[in-house]
Amino acid sequence: MDGPVVKIAVLSENTVGTTLGLCGEWGLSMLVETAGKRVLFDTGEQGCLVANADALGVDLRTVDALVLSHGHYDHTGGMRAFLRRRGRLPVYAHPDLFASHCGSLPHEHYIGVPFSAEELSSLGADFHFVRTAVEIVPGLWVSGEIPRKTVFEKGDPRLYLKKDGQKMPDSFADDMSLYCVTPQGLVIILGCAHAGLVNIVEHARAVTGMSRVYGIIGGTHLGPVSAEQQAATIAYLQQLDLQFLAANHCTGLPMAARLAGLFGSVFRFAPAGSAFALPIVQSQS
Ligand SMILES: [Fe+2]
Ligand SMILES: [Fe+2]
């Protein structure tokens, strides 16, 4: 194998892991580089990714495409700042991106995209709304809508939709992930995994035709779900023989610590400022 196939740089996350004066925020933004292309996955909460990218020496004007994992504010809130820096580019998202996502913590409020589609388009977002999987770069797939197969992945009961003044369960049809095909297996890149981590992994296998899963990075949303879902998901992850697990963001610190204990050196903390070249080439010594 000739070196890394995918590079992932965490530009924005809840926590900061370097001494470069980065900003932390409740959000997630990662830059994915593969096959000579640079794809930004989510934009964090308030635009920290721009200053953080500057501090890290990442030129956001060279990003080829933006993919949005779902319509929550903590993944889309940096779009205005990013588009002002980048200008016009393709933006991949599910058609339900602008659904009226709401949450009940610490009080009931709207937690969807904080901008209108019109404003974002005027800033250069060239929206490509996708429901089915699409390979946007050779070997890099946007998942499309994730089929719900498991019975135990019931999600976070504090999240809901508001339609015509009525509260209803949020099915998160818009929740999408990235699937990267490498010679050593799939690298699965998560936003918040609202569709369920096991559903997402199984869909990745179906879409790409590759069953081996090399690694997973991103928000698992495992912290806020039921103990039953946590246990079943962890059992599933343990039989995957993962080589890399970097659960961050909405995983929550207690669950990240639990996973670190269970997975040992396979687990990596992934705060803002961290970067990974995958598959990891083991030294011979
Ligand atoms: Fe999130
Ligand atoms: Fe979310």
Side-chain angles (χ1 to χ4, degrees):
M1 194 181 65
D2 309 299
V5 176
V6 56
K7 292 181 182 175
I8 302 169
V10 182
L11 298 183
S12 173
E13 207 262 343
N14 308 25
T15 56
V16 167
T18 71
T19 55
L20 294 170
L22 303 188
C23 138
E25 58 182 355
W26 179 270
L28 187 60
S29 176
M30 295 185 279
L31 183 66
V32 179
E33 290 185 65
T34 189
K37 298 290 183 185
R38 307 177 105 198
V39 174
L40 184 67
F41 187 56
D42 289 342
T43 62
E45 181 189 18
Q46 297 185 37
C48 282
L49 83 160
V50 175
N52 287 356
D54 287 343
L56 292 164
V58 173
D59 185 355
L60 291 176
R61 292 169 301 185
T62 64
V63 171
D64 294 292
L66 169 63
V67 177
L68 297 168
S69 66
H70 64 301
H72 274 160
Y73 73 101
D74 53 332
H75 299 252
T76 58
M79 284 186 75
R80 181 189 279 154
F82 168 69
L83 289 168
R84 281 180 175 157
R85 171 64 65 89
R86 171 60 183 86
R88 189 169 180 80
L89 87 167
V91 178
Y92 294 88
H94 187 278
D96 290 355
L97 179 76
F98 291 94
S100 61
H101 296 294
C102 294
S104 57
L105 264 185
H107 52 80
E108 310 233 335
H109 65 300
Y110 173 75
I111 56 172
V113 183
F115 314 112
S116 68
E118 292 72 24
E119 178 189 352
L120 296 172
S121 296
S122 74
L123 289 170
D126 181 12
F127 281 107
H128 296 248
F129 290 111
V130 295
R131 278 187 197 279
T132 54
V134 54
E135 190 176 18
I136 58 170
V137 171
L140 184 68
W141 293 78
V142 176
S143 69
E145 210 166 304
I146 312 283
R148 300 332 197 240
K149 296 274 178 72
T150 60
V151 292
F152 58 84
E153 292 185 296
K154 297 189 171 77
D156 186 338
R158 303 167 305 175
L159 305 174
Y160 62 94
L161 281 181
K162 212 161 193 182
K163 226 172 188 178
D164 303 324
Q166 300 291 316
K167 285 171 71 169
M168 58 183 64
D170 194 340
S171 67
F172 284 107
D174 55 326
D175 186 68
M176 303 200 296
S177 297
L178 287 180
Y179 303 149
C180 189
V181 177
T182 83
Q184 295 193 18
L186 293 169
V187 173
I188 298 174
I189 305 166
L190 310 167
C192 269
H194 292 298
L197 183 47
V198 179
N199 285 327
I200 291 168
V201 172
E202 288 302 309
H203 186 54
R205 288 170 151 172
V207 162
T208 62
M210 177 176 267
S211 72
R212 172 108 184 80
V213 182
Y214 178 85
I216 298 173
I217 183 170
T220 66
H221 218 82
L222 267 186
V225 301
S226 68
E228 180 204 8
Q229 182 172 342
Q230 291 174 344
T233 306
I234 288 170
Y236 175 87
L237 292 175
Q238 286 178 314
Q239 55 81 41
L240 285 181
D241 188 29
L242 294 171
Q243 302 300 302
F244 174 80
L245 175 61
N248 61 7
H249 182 45
C250 55
T251 302
L253 295 179
M255 177 53 75
R258 186 171 159 192
L259 293 170
L262 288 168
F263 285 86
S265 61
V266 165
F267 187 89
R268 305 297 182 99
F269 287 94
S274 56
F276 306 94
L278 304 173
I280 295 165
V281 179
Q282 307 290 344
S283 69
Q284 298 299 313
S285 58

